[in-house]
Amino acid sequence: MKNEANRLSTVYNPAEVENKWYAVWEESGYFSEKNNKDGQPFCIVMPPPNVTGQLHMGHALDSTMQDILTRFRRMQGYRTLWLPGTDHAGIATQAKVEANIAKDGLHKDDLGREKFLEKVWEWKDQYHERITKQQRLLGSSCDWAQERFTLDEGCSEAVQEVFIRLYEKGLIYRGSYIINWCPKCQTTISDIEVEHEDHAGHLWYFQYPLQDGSGFIEIATTRPETMLGDVAVAVNPEDERYRDMIGKMLVLPIVGREIPVIADDYVDPSFGTGAVKITPAHDPNDFEIGLRHHLPQVVVIGKDAKMTAEAGKYAGMDRYVCREKIVAELDSLGLFHKKEEISHAVGTCYRCGSVIEPLVSPQWFVKMKPLAEPAMEAVKTGDIRFVPERFSKIYLGWLENIRDWCISRQLWWGHRIPVWYCDDCGELICQKDAPTVCPKCGSKQLHQDPDVLDTWFSSGLWPFSTLGWPQKTELLDAFYPTSVLVTGRDIIFFWVARMIFLGLEFMGKKPFDEVLIHGLVLDAQGRKMSKSLGNGIDPLEIIAQYGADSLRFMLITGNTPGNDLRFQEERLEAARNFTNKIWNASRFVLMNLEDYVPNQGSLQLTLADKWILQELKNTVQNVTDNLQKYELGEAARNLYDFTWDKFCDWYIELAKARLYKGTAEEKYTAQTVLANVLQQILQLLHPFMPFITEELWQHLPHEGETIMLSHWPQAQKMSSYAQEASDMGLIMDVIRSVRNIRSEMNVPPGKKAQILLCAEEAQQEVLKQGLLYIQILAQADKVQIANKESEAPSQSASAHQKGVDIFVPLKGLIDLEKESARLQKEIAAAEKELQKVSGKLQNAGFLAKAPAQVIEKEQGKQKEMQEKIAALSARLQILR
RNA sequence: GGAGGCAUAGCUCAGUUGGUUAGAGCGCUGCGUUCACAUCGCAGAGGUCUUGGGUUCGAAUCCCUAUGCCUCCACCA
């Protein structure tokens, strides 16, 4: 085994190791749920990345978290399925492909629907390939055999089924309503796809003359160009200024149309002039008012964001150019009063940033109220739990004010709406397969609805469509509801909410037990990573430079659920250094396992062995608990501390004496503990750092083919050594004290020291067990243990720890001034502590109400501090 | 206009049911290359836990308030 260890280089090279293992895992079928067929099911469906491009840091975080949970549960023996997939991402992908063919001077209409879709499928294949490769490089242990695509056959069938059932139930309807139109993408978008940006704008004041010539009403608007479509002016019925005018007619300037003054509660008398021009065809509020008052809809802006024929002489003009012209014309008519600078929210398209045009258009909608109710109930009752909990408020708030969901998109890439219309009688036929004749009039002139469905309509079915629904499948039976959904907080509305109400509606059961929400990966300055800023970091470049394990560990540490995290090079280096530490600790262990044959000797556990075993037990417990609570960052920190501080800095050093100079039994014991503890460290770390842990585990004595399927350590099955751990703590304190003295007194490291330890009998026993450790770690050639009453050697530095007086004779080396300063500092610290403790213990309330345990602890501390002060003060006296 | 988050060491952040001598990484100071690792070791400096109240025997932790920064939601023309 020595040769093998020597073959490992002193610096860990992730690329070499990572490249080989993923292929082995995948080919061996380790990712399959079939591995723990009898275990309890554990399932995560992967939030499907868009096939628009490549994975970014957010995906890396998302996948790492899911992989950690998946690997953890798999090792715990669960029947584990992490189901991967990708999303066709309607608008986004179509936009990319349109831009791509535009390079060749082509428009999608030049190709036609079918040819264009061929191009999109090519694009999809290419990026799908790239994305899944990236997932593999990250180490994601998802079951590729179960991979799905939102537009594959099964998912498409699920989409049709859902659409038809909702339609038949009256929860999907078609109607002409005001929708959000993106003039650039040339499609509707849903309300949540509209982003509200504050823009600097103007509020213009215009006067509309009364038809009877008795004056005018002044209105205020931010969009003068829409006045061409005005059909009324509304005032608040309580507003005395306008009470007499209600019911009168106005003459719409420029157009000459007669429009009524109407009363509606919606109008806020305190804003603007208290009179609002009403344009039902181009404003959502006005649309509602128009319905209430049976007003016509005059469409003056078209889908190209240009003025329509209805706009008369302005027809064909861009909406913003028209705005200027209208203002100018009203001014020339003497109807322009004033202009105010205001900042107001403008709706923009989340994809392309264009200003949204509210338009009236026949579209398909999902009736939300009946679906939202049970979805809210599921979270309110705790049936579905958000982690962190605060996100449930955000979720509920959204559903409370939900409006119907516009699901039709004027795109080609997506699920075609399963509806046909009869050209002759207008009959609407909603069914899976194309009808041949109209069931009403028998006509054969039928055409399918040209629109496709919102991408989120299909991803909303993801937790059950991917498991086989609407077919009855074993997977669906076993894994639905899934265990936990891991996703970014930015898509709670888009995706999480929709999965919940669609899951409840179609499966009758929630889609997952818990929703683990994570934040965004920000750049080093705390800004969102974005293409426009050019501050995005490619996970692949980081993996090439630092390795996937380091990237994963960096993304997980120092982060708590739901919070954003900054991507910093230094943190990456820290993670890289940690992998290197693990690598070298393992090299050390392997080098010393040369003559080791497991289970072939007798064990004689020492204090140090029992201490590290107790620490390991604690770590197993903490890591397991934290993983169960989704505190991944804490779990990672537990492992970092145990591995580096406890195992490397202390235990390995403590074991060296027995490895180099021990008897056969001592050596065998040290070897066994080293190998076992390291083996379990690797297991516990495996979910976080799959590659390096597999590599090293394979070199160590082990059972089984892969660490991936090894059994997760169980704390309750491990022996407890609480007393020994506490005893070892004393030894470590003594060592630290001596080291401190040596360092402060500038004792050269090469110079061996002599140490005198004075203690009560019980502690003497403990110190004796730690003699060797003190010798080695404090570089002492002689350690003497004596009674409390023993005389202190002259010219020595001293310290006091938990009842033990520590003396380090420093003949000729001691600087009296320095030593007394050092002692005074120690005394001051102890006094400060003593004051705090005594204060508590003198407080009657504390004694009366604090738990006995806490009081005992404080009493112990008080005694300890008093002793320490006494001992150190005595030394100080002698020095003087 | 609503809602949420954050504020702890020079920097970036942990600190999970209130009781720790308030921690880590990086940075900083001193010492160190005897063979696991300089992507390292040892020792150390550095914090009135943003302000002001409150609850409590006890608050970084719970409540209120102020300030600053960030984010989300929202049909005031």
Side-chain angles (χ1 to χ4, degrees):
Chain A
M1 219 167 267
K2 177 151 196 163
N3 290 339
E4 216 175 332
N6 284 344
R7 254 189 279 132
L8 303 178
S9 77
T10 62
V11 172
Y12 172 54
N13 179 355
E16 227 170 73
V17 168
E18 294 183 1
N19 284 338
K20 87 179 156 200
W21 282 115
Y22 198 91
V24 172
W25 293 333
E26 191 172 358
E27 282 158 18
S28 308
Y30 298 156
F31 300 150
S32 168
E33 44 86 27
K34 295 185 178 73
N35 284 302
N36 296 331
K37 205 72 182 177
D38 302 326
Q40 259 186 280
F42 179 85
C43 180
I44 295 180
V45 288
M46 177 189 290
N50 292 348
V51 287
T52 40
Q54 51 196 3
L55 299 190
H56 52 68
M57 252 338 142
H59 291 115
L61 173 64
D62 199 56
S63 287
T64 298
M65 291 175 76
Q66 292 170 66
D67 195 41
I68 288 170
L69 296 173
T70 300
R71 287 179 184 269
F72 166 56
R73 293 305 188 185
R74 191 185 287 121
M75 287 173 77
Q76 277 193 324
Y78 284 76
R79 178 183 174 192
T80 308
L81 172 61
W82 182 19
L83 192 150
T86 44
D87 194 312
H88 69 283
I91 302 186
T93 310
Q94 175 158 336
K96 290 267 187 185
V97 176
E98 279 179 25
N100 201 38
I101 61 172
K103 287 183 206 151
D104 305 325
L106 287 173
H107 185 268
K108 70 181 200 297
D109 293 334
D110 301 333
L111 295 173
R113 192 159 187 149
E114 224 166 282
K115 282 263 185 246
F116 178 76
L117 284 178
E118 276 174 28
K119 292 269 181 205
V120 189
W121 278 102
E122 281 169 28
W123 175 281
K124 179 257 167 187
D125 288 341
Q126 185 186 341
Y127 284 92
H128 166 264
E129 186 72 20
R130 185 187 284 194
I131 288 165
T132 53
K133 191 181 163 212
Q134 286 176 305
Q135 288 284 12
R136 287 175 163 89
L137 289 170
L138 259 173
S140 301
S141 67
C142 41
D143 187 355
W144 294 107
Q146 304 294 342
E147 188 191 354
R148 300 301 296 269
F149 177 53
T150 47
L151 215 44
D152 67 23
E153 207 179 312
C155 288
S156 300
E157 193 195 343
V159 165
Q160 289 183 331
E161 182 79 21
V162 165
F163 186 97
I164 293 165
R165 284 208 214 167
L166 286 176
Y167 177 75
E168 286 170 353
K169 206 173 166 183
L171 290 174
I172 278 183
Y173 62 91
R174 186 168 189 263
S176 229
Y177 295 93
I178 195 139
I179 45 81
N180 308 296
W181 181 262
C182 175
K184 175 120 183 278
C185 299
Q186 283 292 302
T187 179
T188 54
I189 56 177
S190 66
D191 292 342
I192 39 172
E193 287 166 318
V194 178
E195 287 179 352
H196 295 90
E197 284 175 19
D198 265 350
H199 283 203
H202 299 101
L203 190 59
W204 282 274
Y205 290 75
F206 301 122
Q207 295 165 350
Y208 286 6
L210 284 154
Q211 191 253 345
D212 61 11
S214 66
F216 59 82
I217 283 189
E218 187 164 305
I219 56 93
T221 180
T222 53
R223 300 194 59 193
E225 71 278 15
T226 62
M227 64 86 59
L228 300 172
D230 284 0
V231 294
V233 165
V235 299
N236 191 293
E238 305 300 319
D239 192 335
E240 300 197 347
R241 291 173 295 178
Y242 301 113
R243 189 161 284 176
D244 297 343
M245 301 192 190
I246 295 167
K248 287 192 175 184
M249 297 304 280
L250 298 163
V251 180
L252 185 64
I254 303 176
V255 182
R257 181 162 58 236
E258 289 190 12
I259 60 175
V261 178
I262 59 170
D264 197 288
D265 285 332
Y266 159 76
V267 180
D268 172 6
S270 65
F271 188 90
T273 62
V276 188
K277 62 191 262 326
I278 301 300
T279 325
H282 298 290
D283 182 279
N285 299 313
D286 295 7
F287 179 80
E288 296 293 328
I289 292 173
L291 290 185
R292 281 201 287 276
H293 297 266
H294 310 290
L295 299 169
Q297 295 161 0
V298 179
V299 176
V300 292
I301 303 171
K303 290 184 171 172
D304 51 3
K306 289 183 174 147
M307 308 311 288
T308 63
E310 198 70 47
K313 59 186 166 185
Y314 295 107
M317 194 178 280
D318 175 85
R319 55 185 166 170
Y320 296 123
V321 176
C322 179
R323 177 177 299 177
E324 303 303 320
K325 302 278 185 201
I326 294 279
V327 172
E329 180 165 357
L330 287 169
D331 191 18
S332 73
L333 293 171
L335 299 174
F336 169 67
H337 174 207
K338 62 175 178 176
K339 175 171 101 171
E340 283 175 0
E341 311 276 322
I342 60 159
S343 166
H344 66 135
V346 174
T348 59
C349 172
Y350 81 113
R351 278 250 23 106
C352 70
S354 308
V355 173
I356 290 303
E357 191 56 51
L359 291 177
V360 177
S361 164
Q363 300 290 341
W364 288 93
F365 297 86
V366 173
K367 198 180 274 182
M368 284 306 304
K369 276 279 180 290
L371 291 167
E373 283 303 325
M376 291 167 68
E377 214 39 37
V379 169
K380 279 182 186 163
T381 58
D383 195 27
I384 298 174
R385 200 170 69 89
F386 276 84
V387 179
E389 201 277 330
R390 70 183 132 94
F391 289 105
S392 54
K393 262 184 264 169
I394 295 177
Y395 165 90
L396 290 172
W398 186 69
L399 281 177
E400 252 159 50
N401 305 308
I402 193 77
R403 293 165 21 139
D404 286 352
W405 173 19
C406 175
I407 49 170
S408 42
R409 295 289 178 276
Q410 290 63 54
L411 301 170
W412 289 350
W413 177 240
H415 300 92
R416 192 87 178 257
I417 290 176
V419 166
W420 286 262
Y421 306 98
C422 174
D423 294 340
D424 292 325
C425 71
E427 178 73 351
L428 187 158
I429 308 140
C430 178
Q431 63 182 53
K432 271 191 185 168
D433 304 311
T436 47
V437 292
C438 172
K440 192 174 172 195
C441 71
S443 166
K444 289 184 178 175
Q445 296 300 307
L446 303 165
H447 71 274
Q448 186 173 7
D449 194 301
D451 291 353
V452 301
L453 290 164
D454 183 359
T455 294
W456 299 100
F457 191 88
S458 56
S459 34
L461 316 179
W462 196 241
F464 50 98
S465 65
T466 54
L467 291 172
W469 192 91
Q471 310 302 323
K472 283 194 189 330
T473 64
E474 202 274 325
L475 279 187
L476 191 62
D477 248 15
F479 291 112
Y480 191 96
T482 65
S483 310
V484 56
L485 179 86
V486 181
T487 196
R489 55 149 207 263
D490 47 336
I491 55 174
I492 292 176
F493 305 144
F494 283 104
W495 194 45
V496 179
R498 271 120 182 214
M499 282 190 288
I500 293 176
F501 66 68
L502 289 168
L504 290 169
E505 173 71 18
F506 286 92
M507 298 296 297
K509 278 190 283 187
K510 61 184 172 179
F512 26 71
D513 301 327
E514 289 170 317
V515 184
L516 175 56
I517 300 289
H518 62 249
L520 271 41
V521 182
L522 307 173
D523 74 0
Q525 281 100 57
R527 300 172 304 180
K528 211 164 156 174
M529 286 188 183
S530 71
K531 279 193 193 95
S532 54
L533 275 174
N535 60 347
I537 295 169
D538 182 0
L540 290 197
E541 279 177 31
I542 299 299
I543 289 173
Q545 202 180 343
Y546 292 92
D549 287 333
S550 296
L551 173 62
R552 292 166 60 113
F553 200 77
M554 176 274 183
L555 288 170
I556 293 305
T557 44
N559 185 227
T560 34
N563 287 341
D564 294 344
L565 95 151
R566 295 192 194 199
F567 192 94
Q568 294 176 113
E569 198 87 6
E570 305 90 75
R571 305 213 306 115
L572 206 48
E573 280 169 18
R576 190 267 321 265
N577 294 351
F578 184 48
T579 59
N580 197 239
K581 191 73 183 176
I582 297 163
W583 183 257
N584 277 292
S586 302
R587 278 182 63 234
F588 171 82
V589 172
L590 287 169
M591 282 177 184
N592 288 287
L593 252 37
E594 176 192 4
D595 55 355
Y596 178 67
V597 185
N599 307 316
Q600 292 296 312
S602 67
L603 283 178
Q604 193 58 250
L605 296 178
T606 65
L607 193 58
D609 297 330
K610 290 176 180 172
W611 165 76
I612 197 71
L613 291 171
Q614 177 64 37
E615 293 286 356
L616 174 67
K617 181 185 167 97
N618 294 344
T619 304
V620 169
Q621 187 68 56
N622 292 337
V623 170
T624 307
D625 287 350
N626 280 320
L627 284 176
Q628 255 147 14
K629 289 188 291 181
Y630 302 116
E631 292 282 354
L632 308 190
E634 277 296 283
R637 197 180 55 80
N638 296 150
L639 283 164
Y640 184 94
D641 291 346
F642 177 73
T643 305
W644 203 310
D645 184 44
K646 306 277 166 44
F647 186 68
C648 293
D649 288 346
W650 283 97
Y651 187 73
I652 284 183
E653 296 306 319
L654 291 168
K656 279 180 181 173
R658 280 179 292 157
L659 291 174
Y660 301 150
K661 289 181 259 179
T663 63
E665 189 184 64
E666 285 171 343
K667 186 173 181 184
Y668 173 78
T669 302
Q671 287 173 322
T672 303
V673 177
L674 278 169
N676 280 332
V677 175
L678 177 59
Q679 201 264 130
Q680 292 182 69
I681 285 176
L682 294 175
Q683 285 184 295
L684 296 171
L685 275 170
H686 180 256
F688 301 86
M689 304 182 150
F691 295 107
I692 189 174
T693 49
E694 177 76 282
E695 173 73 14
L696 293 170
W697 188 83
Q698 296 286 347
H699 284 88
L700 282 168
H702 63 270
E703 281 171 24
E705 291 173 26
T706 173
I707 192 172
M708 271 188 69
L709 298 174
S710 67
H711 300 299
W712 187 258
Q714 287 178 275
Q716 68 272 24
K717 289 190 179 167
M718 298 163 77
S719 305
S720 287
Y721 300 105
Q723 185 57 48
E724 287 88 344
S726 154
D727 290 347
M728 189 64 208
L730 175 66
I731 309 285
M732 290 163 74
D733 279 340
V734 169
I735 292 169
R736 285 194 197 96
S737 281
V738 177
R739 282 172 168 176
N740 173 268
I741 288 171
R742 294 185 59 116
S743 177
E744 297 273 318
M745 293 293 120
N746 298 324
V747 180
K751 188 170 170 59
K752 294 286 183 193
Q754 296 194 354
I755 299 169
L756 172 65
L757 303 171
C758 301
E760 304 291 349
E761 245 171 75
Q763 286 187 319
Q764 287 187 25
E765 285 308 307
V766 175
L767 292 170
K768 273 178 199 157
Q769 290 184 67
L771 213 58
L772 196 60
Y773 308 141
I774 299 171
Q775 272 181 1
I776 295 170
L777 299 193
Q779 280 141 317
D781 48 8
K782 200 166 141 199
V783 179
Q784 202 187 335
I785 297 170
N787 291 329
K788 268 290 198 189
E789 298 75 33
S790 308
E791 204 173 313
S794 62
Q795 292 207 32
S796 61
S798 63
H800 180 95
Q801 291 290 353
K802 295 176 181 162
V804 179
D805 291 311
I806 302 159
F807 299 101
V808 183
L810 293 169
K811 245 182 295 170
L813 278 173
I814 191 142
D815 178 331
L816 289 180
E817 234 165 84
K818 238 179 162 174
E819 172 65 1
S820 79
R822 199 180 63 80
L823 287 173
Q824 280 174 38
K825 199 180 87 181
E826 289 285 313
I827 293 168
E831 270 173 347
K832 195 175 156 196
E833 190 55 27
L834 176 64
Q835 214 177 352
K836 228 165 106 179
V837 174
S838 302
K840 278 188 196 176
L841 290 170
Q842 275 159 26
N843 183 332
F846 176 75
L847 294 172
K849 298 193 180 177
Q853 246 184 338
V854 174
I855 295 174
E856 264 171 50
K857 198 174 149 198
E858 293 297 320
Q859 284 166 337
K861 208 190 288 172
Q862 185 183 38
K863 185 163 164 261
E864 195 183 324
M865 289 303 135
Q866 283 165 341
E867 278 181 17
K868 187 168 188 171
I869 292 164
L872 296 178
S873 301
R875 283 301 297 168
L876 196 57
Q877 282 302 318
I878 292 167
L879 238 65
R880 282 167 179 164

